[in-house]
């Protein structure tokens, strides 16, 4: 199971701060979370940055480590 931490607008769209989800890749994770929480979160996930165990992950097809922590960071306004 992956531990998902939502931040800012992603947290508001998901309606939770943290949850556990099973997924093999970020692509699978984003689809699962969109199905679970709705298209509003899905739109945020398309533009979000992902940290996997504290490291930025850009490859959404790469396999995720077992029991990883995934931080979902939506784009932030400001400087």
């Amino acid at each position: 199971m992956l531990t998902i931490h939502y931040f800012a607008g992603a947290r508001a769209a998901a309606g939770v701060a943290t949850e556990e989800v099973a997924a093999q890749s970020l692509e699978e994770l984003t689809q699962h979370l969109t199905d679970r929480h709705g298209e509003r979160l899905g739109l945020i996930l398309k533009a979000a940055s992902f940290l996997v165990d504290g490291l930025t992950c850009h490859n959404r097809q790469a396999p995720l480590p077992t029991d990883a922590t995934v931080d979902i960071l939506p784009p932030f306004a400001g400087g």
Side-chain angles (χ1 to χ4, degrees), residues 28-61:
E28 183 181 327
L29 176 64
T30 58
Q31 184 59 55
H32 179 76
L33 296 177
T34 299
D35 292 346
R36 178 182 281 187
H37 296 291
E39 191 56 34
R40 180 174 171 220
L41 179 60
L43 291 172
I44 292 169
L45 294 175
K46 288 179 184 179
S49 297
F50 296 87
L51 299 179
V52 178
D53 290 336
L55 300 173
T56 302
C57 182
H58 298 288
N59 183 352
R60 293 188 181 212
Q61 289 78 35

